[in-house]
Amino acid sequence: PRRGATAELRHSSSLGTRSSSSPPRTGDDDSSRDRDRPIWWVPFLGGDDLRASPQKSKVSIFLILFLAAVASLISVYGLVNHLNAPYLCKKDGIVLNCPQVKESASRWENPLPATTSWKPCAERRIGGGVSDVLPENETNGYVFIHAEGGLNQQRIAICNAVAVAKIMNATLILPVLKQDQIWKDQTKFEDIFDVDHFIDYLKDDVRIVKDIPEWFTDKTELFSSIRRTVKNIPKYAAAQFYIDNVLPRIKEKKIMALKPFVDRLGYDNVPQEINRLRCRVNYHALKFLPEIEQMADSIASRMRNRTGTPNPYMALHLRFEKGMVGLSFCDFVGTREEKARMAEYRQKEWPRRFKNGSHLWQLALQKRKEGRCPLEPGEVAVILRAMGYPKETQIYVASGQVYGGQNRMAPLRNMFPNLVTKEDLAGKEELASFRKHVTSLAALDFLVCLKSDVFVMTHGGNFAKLIIGARRYMGHRQKSIKPDKGLMSKSFGDPYMGWATFVEDVVVTHQTRTGLPEETFPNYDLWENPLTPCMCKA
């Protein structure tokens, strides 16, 4: 059973009165009459003898009134205490004031016994029905792909491209990082990754070449010609699909481009050694350029020494940019004008989903209940305080421009004033060379988050799941916290939820959400949880 069941049960239970029935009483004897007396009746109050003595009656009535007065005072005191008890946190303008929580000794790392059961083993080459690399003159052909999207989506595409080339015993042409409509970036593979290490590390798995072969003269044809493109690959395709449908065309044409190539290879419908190869690419072959690694090391070092003495730090991936808020179609706190502007933005960017907007309120409520809405900065602050992180916690923030600006960030910044970004830790001159490519800046954030003592995600996405997966693979001693947004939304919306109860819910629920390896299930996400194919019992 899940450790957070107590918290779930608390939310799902309803208040009510219970009625009980007892057997019918027979007769009017004394014992029957005694049973009918109220529970507070005791002999020293006089009982049935009150009628016999007026003086006794007055004393008894006085005692009864005295006890009733005491009980009333206790009830009033309890009611006042309840009314004054903090409902989560008190809001003072844009500042949230939450009660202090006892700091937990384990807030910075997972318990040692839980981190010694598994170890990384993707470097092993076990075979499992996957053939060896063919000689150059015997290759089945050349595979070419565009790695689309942002840096982390491109990373996944590169891992999949190596795996697909292995499945078909084909030669992989170094993937091209396609310019993304949102990122507007012209980065090349060699601008981010160490090409020589990539090719050399995988030489026993797949033959990789830096460019299209010289004998293929019309290189633009690979980018534009339908005759050179395989476009009918379904999402999460099986290895057998490539063997049956793609390999014959590669053998015929010698060079083929695969596009689109986002999520075009499954997880549980390919040989385990292929999944292990994807881990080998992700965790060992794909290394950032030395200058990116060095800058990230420098930023992480500055984070650890901000207090003058060595200190741990938390990395927070805050996904609350305008685009993310709009795309989520969730409802967030804001003024009427702010909500109207967001509605206009959504209608412009996603007209087919927006329609006339009449269905969006119900959709927003449903998504919040299911935990599919990004956490707001203020909500993140309350959760972290409930987990026992004090005001002095050093937090590195990896985020785009937060929707709502400083006002939206104020509750988080006031509760945790030591919030910093890479721009706060490195000078303009130091970052100047990295600003040439947006993906270089994203790579810095990725590495600083990867090196943190605690990583906290606030919404899904490739960035967070790749970091959580890498931290699991590399040792999982450091915590990677994935908030239960569904349960948290119930807590935030519960008018009877007191602070102590909320803290208990947060602590109990997240005991099993700290980045330890988890048993996999059908269609699991290899990038977030590499346990089965890529890790071995220690």
Side-chain angles (χ1 to χ4, degrees):
R2 194 162 64 87
R3 295 288 297 275
T6 305
E8 286 281 13
L9 184 62
R10 182 181 292 116
H11 288 289
S12 62
S13 63
S14 58
L15 294 175
T17 56
R18 295 183 182 179
S19 58
S20 60
S21 59
S22 55
R25 292 189 293 270
T26 57
D28 289 321
D29 58 8
D30 291 341
S31 62
S32 171
R33 197 161 56 245
D34 287 344
R35 284 197 303 268
D36 290 337
R37 287 171 178 143
I39 195 166
W40 43 262
W41 182 92
V42 287
F44 76 83
L45 292 181
D48 292 337
D49 294 333
L50 288 175
R51 291 168 295 179
S53 172
Q55 189 164 350
K56 280 186 178 182
S57 175
K58 289 179 182 179
V59 172
S60 299
I61 291 172
F62 173 78
L63 286 173
I64 292 170
L65 291 175
F66 175 76
L67 290 174
V70 171
S72 299
L73 286 173
I74 292 172
S75 299
V76 170
Y77 178 76
L79 179 62
V80 170
N81 259 4
H82 178 74
L83 291 175
N84 288 334
Y87 162 63
L88 299 192
C89 304
K90 294 180 180 178
K91 191 172 183 181
D92 182 13
I94 58 175
V95 178
L96 282 175
N97 295 308
C98 296
Q100 293 295 325
V101 176
K102 184 179 179 181
E103 297 177 21
S104 169
S106 63
R107 67 187 183 279
W108 288 111
E109 57 185 22
N110 284 314
L112 182 60
T115 64
T116 56
S117 300
W118 296 90
K119 63 180 181 180
C121 60
E123 287 184 288
R124 295 185 190 174
R125 292 171 173 84
I126 300 175
V130 181
S131 56
D132 295 331
V133 178
L134 293 174
E136 186 174 359
N137 59 349
E138 296 181 21
T139 181
N140 284 328
Y142 290 80
V143 177
F144 177 79
I145 69 126
H146 280 103
E148 302 173 351
L151 172 64
N152 300 290
Q153 185 170 305
Q154 290 171 344
R155 187 185 190 97
I156 292 173
I158 293 166
C159 296
N160 287 340
V162 172
V164 166
K166 180 68 174 179
I167 289 169
M168 299 187 293
N169 274 317
T171 298
L172 177 66
I173 299 169
L174 197 68
V176 169
L177 307 186
K178 186 178 180 181
Q179 178 179 352
D180 186 76
Q181 292 181 348
I182 297 175
W183 286 67
K184 307 291 185 187
D185 197 22
Q186 293 282 11
T187 308
K188 297 179 181 178
F189 192 106
E190 56 268 28
D191 294 329
I192 296 293
F193 300 110
D194 186 331
V195 175
D196 292 334
H197 174 80
F198 178 71
I199 294 174
D200 184 65
Y201 190 89
L202 295 169
K203 65 184 179 183
D204 294 328
D205 294 299
V206 175
R207 177 173 291 105
I208 303 171
V209 295
K210 293 183 180 181
D211 205 352
I212 300 167
E214 292 182 1
W215 54 261
F216 188 75
T217 54
D218 191 4
K219 295 185 179 182
T220 58
E221 190 179 359
L222 270 181
F223 293 86
S224 56
S225 174
I226 295 177
R227 294 186 302 110
R228 293 283 178 181
T229 304
V230 182
K231 302 191 73 171
N232 62 339
I233 304 173
K235 278 198 168 187
Y236 306 111
Q240 196 62 42
F241 177 90
Y242 284 91
I243 294 171
D244 295 340
N245 299 278
V246 182
L247 181 57
R249 296 189 64 184
I250 290 177
K251 285 182 174 181
E252 177 191 355
K253 300 288 186 179
K254 295 304 178 186
I255 296 182
M256 292 294 290
L258 311 181
K259 63 178 183 181
F261 197 67
V262 178
D263 299 327
R264 287 313 193 268
L265 185 63
Y267 301 116
D268 57 345
N269 51 6
V270 301
Q272 285 289 61
E273 179 56 27
I274 291 296
N275 280 333
R276 192 174 290 110
L277 172 60
R278 291 153 101 176
C279 288
R280 198 147 56 242
V281 179
N282 188 25
Y283 302 128
H284 301 284
L286 275 177
K287 291 185 67 175
F288 292 113
L289 291 175
E291 52 266 36
I292 295 177
E293 296 269 2
Q294 290 164 11
M295 188 71 246
D297 284 340
S298 178
I299 293 174
S301 176
R302 294 170 196 179
M303 274 302 300
R304 293 194 190 283
N305 291 279
R306 294 195 73 232
T307 60
T309 56
N311 59 265
Y313 76 91
M314 173 189 294
L316 175 64
H317 185 219
L318 191 59
R319 297 210 69 188
F320 207 75
E321 306 90 348
K322 183 178 180 179
M324 178 53 61
V325 172
L327 182 60
S328 72
F329 278 84
C330 293
D331 187 59
F332 297 97
V333 174
T335 64
R336 186 174 298 177
E337 293 77 11
E338 195 175 21
K339 290 176 183 288
R341 288 195 299 271
M342 177 53 68
E344 291 174 4
Y345 172 68
R346 285 170 172 166
Q347 188 172 25
K348 177 184 175 183
E349 297 293 328
W350 303 279
R352 294 180 64 183
R353 287 186 62 188
F354 188 87
K355 299 178 183 177
N356 61 4
S358 60
H359 67 296
L360 294 181
W361 174 245
Q362 192 62 36
L363 174 65
L365 286 177
Q366 185 63 30
K367 292 188 77 172
R368 189 164 287 280
K369 286 180 182 178
E370 294 171 357
R372 294 192 290 136
C373 294
L375 288 172
E376 295 190 47
E379 293 173 327
V380 176
V382 176
I383 292 171
L384 294 181
R385 177 55 53 84
M387 288 180 176
Y389 292 99
K391 183 177 182 179
E392 298 74 27
T393 302
Q394 302 291 326
I395 302 179
Y396 179 87
V397 180
S399 173
Q401 186 173 356
V402 173
Y403 175 66
Q406 293 302 315
N407 283 345
R408 183 75 66 173
M409 284 292 292
L412 177 60
R413 189 171 293 281
N414 279 284
M415 200 176 299
F416 295 98
N418 295 310
L419 289 178
V420 292
T421 63
K422 57 183 172 293
E423 288 79 11
D424 298 317
L425 295 165
K428 288 184 179 180
E429 297 78 12
E430 289 180 293
L431 294 176
S433 61
F434 300 98
R435 294 188 185 281
K436 296 176 184 177
H437 306 292
V438 177
T439 45
S440 296
L441 296 173
L444 290 177
D445 276 340
F446 184 91
L447 288 171
V448 178
C449 288
L450 189 63
K451 299 170 189 292
S452 65
D453 297 274
V454 170
F455 173 71
V456 180
M457 62 176 287
T458 60
H459 197 49
N462 294 320
F463 182 99
K465 70 183 181 183
L466 281 170
I467 286 179
I468 290 177
R471 289 163 69 94
R472 276 183 168 136
Y473 180 78
M474 297 300 182
H476 50 271
R477 184 75 195 274
Q478 298 165 320
K479 283 192 173 183
S480 300
I481 298 173
K482 185 177 182 180
D484 187 336
K485 295 186 293 179
L487 184 62
M488 292 300 96
S489 71
K490 294 175 185 177
S491 298
F492 290 135
D494 185 349
Y496 303 105
M497 174 72 72
W499 178 250
T501 306
F502 176 73
V503 169
E504 181 186 357
D505 280 5
V506 170
V507 172
V508 170
T509 301
H510 293 91
Q511 283 177 347
T512 55
R513 300 176 72 90
T514 60
L516 292 172
E518 299 173 1
E519 293 294 340
T520 53
F521 48 88
N523 298 313
Y524 66 92
D525 195 317
L526 175 73
W527 314 112
E528 185 174 335
N529 187 22
L531 176 64
T532 301
C534 307
M535 300 181 72
C536 309
K537 282 282 188 181

